Amino acid sequence: MVRILFTGASLSSDNKGAPAIISGAIKAISEFVPNAEFIVVPKRKRYDEKLAKRYGAKVAKIRIPKSRYKRVLIKRIDLLREFKKADIIVDVSGISFTDYDKVKRIILKAMPILLAEMVDKPIVKYTQAMGPFKRKI
């Protein structure tokens, strides 16, 4: 079974485009990889679990402690663990790279790519748009 981890959006996003991209990607990938296991990174765990069942996916096991400081560290450790368990990472972030963004935001948007590189996993950018670019980044 091929384990595919979706990053960059969640099923419980307030932006309706995020679940649409994930559900469309699941449908499209399922045609070519019928035995795939789809994992989504949760935003609102309970709601994401409910929606994941509807789309034939599972929710990544990411703990979210109440303490803000613990949350930052533990969430990232769990996310890295999920990256290691995945066979393929699919980044479905909407408009992921533009030159309108500041450097800090570009680095944050590049994190899935950097994490995938760290754990030697292939990553697919399944995004709705790239750019526009009017200057060198």
Side-chain angles (χ1 to χ4, degrees):
M1 183 171 291
V2 177
R3 187 177 172 94
I4 299 172
L5 177 68
F6 287 104
T7 66
S10 104
L11 291 170
S12 64
S13 174
D14 295 330
N15 175 344
K16 300 300 180 206
I21 291 171
I22 294 172
S23 64
I26 288 171
K27 186 175 179 180
I29 294 168
S30 293
E31 291 182 28
F32 297 97
V33 188
N35 64 341
E37 177 182 30
F38 299 103
I39 312 296
V40 294
V41 175
K43 181 176 181 182
R44 298 180 191 110
K45 192 167 182 163
R46 286 189 199 134
Y47 191 52
D48 276 311
E49 286 172 345
K50 185 178 173 181
L51 291 171
K53 287 180 185 176
R54 181 185 308 166
Y55 298 119
K58 295 179 181 176
V59 173
K61 292 182 170 109
I62 296 178
R63 297 167 290 164
I64 304 173
K66 292 189 189 301
S67 162
R68 181 177 180 196
Y69 301 106
K70 286 182 183 178
R71 186 175 353 166
V72 170
L73 182 60
I74 289 174
K75 189 175 177 184
R76 279 157 184 77
I77 290 170
D78 288 352
L79 186 59
L80 188 58
R81 187 175 297 124
E82 289 293 334
F83 268 68
K84 285 181 179 179
K85 290 192 302 188
D87 295 305
I88 300 169
I89 293 41
V90 178
D91 182 24
V92 293
S93 52
I95 301 170
S96 58
F97 292 105
T98 71
D99 63 359
Y100 298 132
D101 288 332
K102 295 183 179 181
V103 173
K104 180 180 176 183
R105 188 163 166 92
I106 291 170
I107 291 169
L108 287 173
K109 289 180 179 182
M111 287 309 288
I113 297 167
L114 299 173
L115 285 174
E117 286 292 322
M118 281 176 54
V119 295
D120 200 29
K121 300 291 179 169
I123 186 161
V124 176
K125 287 293 290 172
Y126 196 92
T127 186
Q128 74 182 42
M130 298 280 270
F133 301 105
K134 294 182 180 178
R135 60 185 166 94
K136 292 182 182 181
I137 297 178

